Amino acid sequence: MALRDWFYMAMADLTRVVAEQDAALAAKDAAAGKVEVIDWAQTDRDRLRDVARIEWEKFAAKGPLAKEALDANLAYMKQIGLLK
């Protein structure tokens, strides 16, 4: 198995675990009246990612490792359907 494959498997597992923990904490806090959970419309999420991507690309221009990290993250986000 290639290192890249291992990385994507690890990221997928981490994403799943964090999402589960986040959902549990949000439900607990919402039930206690501590927070109001707002579920953004998909179009709003997409617009935020478009704006964020511009800033990510500015940072990635600072060096080859930053660019490599961004490219890997963007590929992963596309793979899991967060980016087109």
Side-chain angles (χ1 to χ4, degrees), residues 49-67 70-71 74:
R49 288 187 186 107
D50 290 341
V51 171
R53 187 172 183 166
I54 293 167
E55 296 305 315
W56 297 338
E57 289 173 356
K58 287 179 189 176
F59 188 83
K62 294 182 178 188
L65 288 179
K67 175 72 169 124
L70 176 62
D71 289 345
L74 292 176

Side-chain angles (χ1 to χ4, degrees), residues 7-25 76 80 82:
F7 172 78
Y8 284 129
M9 287 173 43
M11 287 302 298
D13 189 49
L14 179 62
T15 299
R16 180 187 55 77
V17 170
V18 169
E20 289 171 359
Q21 290 176 351
D22 188 47
L25 290 171
Y76 175 72
I80 64 172
L82 293 178

Side-chain angles (χ1 to χ4, degrees), residues 1-55:
M1 177 181 304
L3 181 58
R4 179 176 285 228
D5 295 334
W6 179 87
F7 172 78
Y8 284 129
M9 287 173 43
M11 287 302 298
D13 189 49
L14 179 62
T15 299
R16 180 187 55 77
V17 170
V18 169
E20 289 171 359
Q21 290 176 351
D22 188 47
L25 290 171
K28 178 182 170 187
D29 288 345
K34 294 181 179 180
V35 297
E36 176 187 358
V37 178
I38 299 171
D39 189 10
W40 287 12
Q42 189 61 50
T43 55
D44 293 331
R45 293 174 194 220
D46 293 342
R47 282 195 318 226
L48 177 64
R49 288 187 186 107
D50 290 341
V51 171
R53 187 172 183 166
I54 293 167
E55 296 305 315

